[in-house]
Amino acid sequence: MAYDVITHGGGEGLVYVFNAVAALFNGPRALASSIVYMAGSFATVLMVMVMVAKQELLPTAKWFFGSLIITSALMLPKVDVIIKDRVTKLERPVAHVPFMLGVFAGISSQLGEVLAKQMDAIFAQAGPDYTGHGVAMASKLLSKVEHFHIRDPLMAANMRGFVQQCMVFDIAKGKYTIKELHGSDNVWKLLRDTASKARGFVYKAHEPTKPKPVTSKIVTCEEGAILLEQAWGTAYKQAAFAYGPRLYPSAPNPAKLFMENLPLAHGYLTRLSHSAEEILQQSMMSNAIDDGLLELNQLTDANAAVTAYAAKRAQAQQRVAYSLQGSMASLSLSVLKVVVEILFYGLFPIIVAISIFPGGWVVIKKYIIALFWIQSWAPMYAILNMIMNIYGKTKSMAAVSTIGRGALNMYSLKGLSDANEWISSAAGYAMMSVPFLSYGIIHYGAGALSQLATHFGSVTQSAASHAAEEATTGNYSMGNTSFDNHNKHNVSGFK
């Protein structure tokens, strides 16, 4: 009978570890046997000394028969295991693994997966599940919705030219107002349908068969809109292949997963029905308009406008930087689980050697508890995912309700991205407490919850006290820059 050992992302590492452990415990010259013999010799000398000192045979006899049973149970029986990675879809058998390791690794990993799936089934109405998508997938994805850009440099340049020479003058002539532009559910359709037949711009095309692979020609705004409309299909594919691997680096087909999850996340959090292409187009057009206007201001030497716009962009980038702690925590925790899991399985030979010494059964008990501790993370992540999904939906629906109804437009894109950026950061920060909370509950019971409250409140307490100090003393410090500082030949005395 083969036991399934379930993992999420660490399949290849577990294959190597289990093969290494199996090699240590098999064969006529198995290294594990030599280690056990050496540990047994030291333990025997120790127990003989105890017997001579206390003049009692019973403790030594209990240790001898107990260690014999433990060693035999840990080393002699063998079992086959199958490593199954739910992320990479890897399935690989490993033969002749020590029975105790294979059984408890299989049971604990399967129990963790079953509990996580059951939690997801119970919370099915609360949004995308944890086992299939991870913690707060919807918010993490929509936090990037404001930052999708046209990836093709030529199309991006053509769109900027269209914005500068067509959109700006259409607004000036009153074809539509800035409010109508910002409130439109389909910005590109509004610009395309009202494109002028009289005005034009420079359109660049890629023609590899000609001596000059990039050609330029003057086209009317209407003709340019038709050409840009034809380029959108390629733009969607390029965006999927660019952003998919960034968001789903371990997925077999990240571009396809990105295009599938984007409308799923958007539909759940906002209750709006848009395809992935429509969401990408709205975001790309919003950024293309911003980039086109910024470039136009630079060309017309509008220093004040450029400075104000640059300051606004710098503030947005600073806000994104503040969310890196949560994002890094989310990434670190997913890697940490795999690393801890592999290390614990790899420590099995050392556990066998230590178990020979007096009190070795305590070490084995703690080792088994630790295996179940690692697998307890997944159910807690499922609960955390449910909480973040509910909170993210509330914030997202508020963000898109900008004009009395839910809409995906230039007004709501920024609010939607900002709201989910904080949700994804909070999810990453909360994930840091899961390993410690699960360990505390296993060892200390409900008392660990008080430590969790302290953990979550520490950041708020620190920020609030610092802000209160600035407000009461009148001393504010912000935007300080220091570089290329030198300090030398200093002498001080009589302190």
Side-chain angles (χ1 to χ4, degrees):
M1 178 182 178
Y3 287 85
D4 294 341
V5 178
I6 311 299
T7 183
H8 293 80
E12 188 173 2
L14 288 186
V15 170
Y16 288 127
V17 166
F18 275 88
N19 276 317
V21 173
L24 288 175
F25 282 86
N26 290 284
R29 296 183 179 180
L31 180 60
S33 300
S34 301
I35 295 175
V36 169
Y37 291 150
M38 293 175 61
S41 300
F42 282 111
T44 301
V45 172
L46 177 63
M47 291 309 299
V48 169
M49 293 173 61
V50 171
M51 181 182 65
V52 172
K54 293 186 176 181
Q55 297 295 314
E56 293 181 4
L57 180 61
L58 186 59
T60 303
K62 287 183 178 180
W63 163 80
F64 177 77
F65 289 107
S67 62
L68 181 62
I69 294 172
I70 292 175
T71 305
S72 301
L74 292 176
M75 293 190 61
L76 296 181
K78 300 297 190 294
V79 70
D80 297 341
V81 299
I82 301 176
I83 309 298
K84 294 185 177 181
D85 194 328
R86 299 306 191 199
V87 175
T88 62
K89 309 304 180 185
L90 178 143
E91 288 192 16
R92 196 169 299 172
V94 179
H96 306 300
V97 175
F99 180 81
M100 296 292 288
L101 175 62
V103 169
F104 283 104
I107 292 175
S108 62
S109 62
Q110 292 177 42
L111 180 61
E113 185 185 44
V114 169
L115 288 175
K117 286 186 175 180
Q118 288 299 317
M119 289 290 185
D120 283 334
I122 295 171
F123 303 140
Q125 300 299 321
D129 58 8
Y130 160 72
T131 53
H133 301 93
V135 176
M137 179 280 294
S139 290
K140 290 177 183 178
L141 192 52
L142 287 198
S143 67
K144 308 296 188 296
V145 75
E146 185 194 8
H147 309 293
F148 296 139
H149 290 262
I150 297 173
R151 304 296 301 178
D152 182 10
L154 287 182
M155 184 180 178
N158 292 331
M159 190 61 75
R160 289 195 298 270
F162 182 84
V163 167
Q164 296 165 7
Q165 302 300 325
C166 302
M167 186 198 78
V168 171
F169 289 100
D170 285 344
I171 294 176
K173 292 189 65 176
K175 285 188 175 182
Y176 45 84
T177 64
I178 295 178
K179 182 178 180 180
E180 290 174 337
L181 178 67
H182 283 185
S184 173
D185 289 345
N186 193 330
V187 173
W188 169 244
K189 184 177 184 300
L190 175 65
L191 300 183
R192 181 196 63 196
D193 293 347
T194 56
S196 172
K197 297 181 180 180
R199 290 184 304 275
F201 66 100
V202 178
Y203 186 89
K204 298 179 180 179
H206 181 63
E207 298 181 4
T209 57
K210 293 188 176 181
K212 292 184 178 181
V214 178
T215 59
S216 301
K217 60 180 179 179
I218 303 295
V219 297
T220 65
C221 294
E222 186 181 55
E223 293 171 344
I226 295 174
L227 293 173
L228 287 170
E229 177 70 28
Q230 297 171 355
W232 276 114
T234 303
Y236 301 143
K237 293 180 181 179
Q238 291 176 339
F241 283 105
Y243 297 116
R246 297 182 186 179
L247 296 169
Y248 308 101
S250 302
N253 192 342
K256 180 181 178 182
L257 190 61
F258 171 75
M259 296 299 284
E260 290 175 350
N261 284 345
L262 184 58
L264 174 68
H266 179 266
Y268 169 74
L269 291 180
T270 64
R271 288 292 186 263
L272 299 176
S273 179
H274 291 94
S275 66
E277 290 79 9
E278 291 172 339
I279 299 170
L280 285 172
Q281 189 182 81
Q282 280 289 84
S283 179
M284 290 176 177
M285 282 305 304
S286 176
N287 287 309
I289 290 173
D290 286 347
D291 294 339
L293 294 178
L294 176 61
E295 185 179 75
L296 180 63
N297 287 333
Q298 293 171 334
L299 293 174
T300 56
D301 196 27
N303 291 327
V306 173
T307 302
Y309 192 86
K312 183 178 179 182
R313 290 289 291 266
Q315 291 173 0
Q317 292 177 359
Q318 185 182 34
R319 184 172 58 255
V320 171
Y322 288 147
S323 69
L324 284 179
Q325 181 181 5
S327 301
M328 291 175 64
S330 175
L331 177 62
S332 300
L333 262 295
S334 60
V335 175
L336 176 63
K337 183 179 184 297
V338 174
V339 172
V340 172
E341 195 173 24
I342 293 175
L343 286 176
F344 265 90
Y345 293 144
L347 282 174
F348 183 76
I350 307 300
I351 298 299
V352 173
I354 296 175
S355 66
I356 299 174
F357 287 88
W361 67 273
V362 178
V363 177
I364 297 175
K365 183 184 73 172
K366 291 184 177 181
Y367 181 74
I368 294 173
I369 292 175
L371 293 180
F372 284 94
W373 163 65
I374 297 172
Q375 301 304 329
S376 70
W377 297 9
M380 300 184 72
Y381 285 149
I383 298 173
L384 178 62
N385 177 61
M386 177 270 296
I387 297 172
M388 292 301 170
N389 281 339
I390 294 174
Y391 190 53
K393 180 173 68 174
T394 303
K395 293 294 183 181
S396 298
M397 293 183 68
V400 299
S401 299
T402 54
I403 52 177
R405 61 181 179 86
L408 182 66
N409 49 42
M410 293 179 66
Y411 281 128
S412 62
L413 270 174
K414 184 173 181 56
L416 184 63
S417 180
D418 288 349
N420 285 281
E421 191 172 306
W422 289 114
I423 297 297
S424 60
S425 300
Y429 184 73
M431 286 176 68
M432 297 176 64
S433 66
V434 167
F436 310 106
L437 178 61
S438 60
Y439 180 85
I441 292 176
I442 290 173
H443 285 270
Y444 306 112
L449 295 176
S450 62
Q451 300 297 324
L452 177 65
T454 303
H455 170 70
F456 277 118
S458 60
V459 175
T460 305
Q461 182 180 1
S462 175
S465 61
H466 184 69
E469 181 182 358
E470 288 184 340
T472 53
T473 60
N475 296 323
Y476 294 91
S477 179
M478 61 187 72
N480 298 319
T481 303
S482 179
F483 58 92
D484 199 24
N485 298 317
H486 301 277
N487 194 355
K488 55 186 176 180
H489 303 306
N490 295 320
V491 180
S492 61
F494 300 106
K495 288 187 177 180

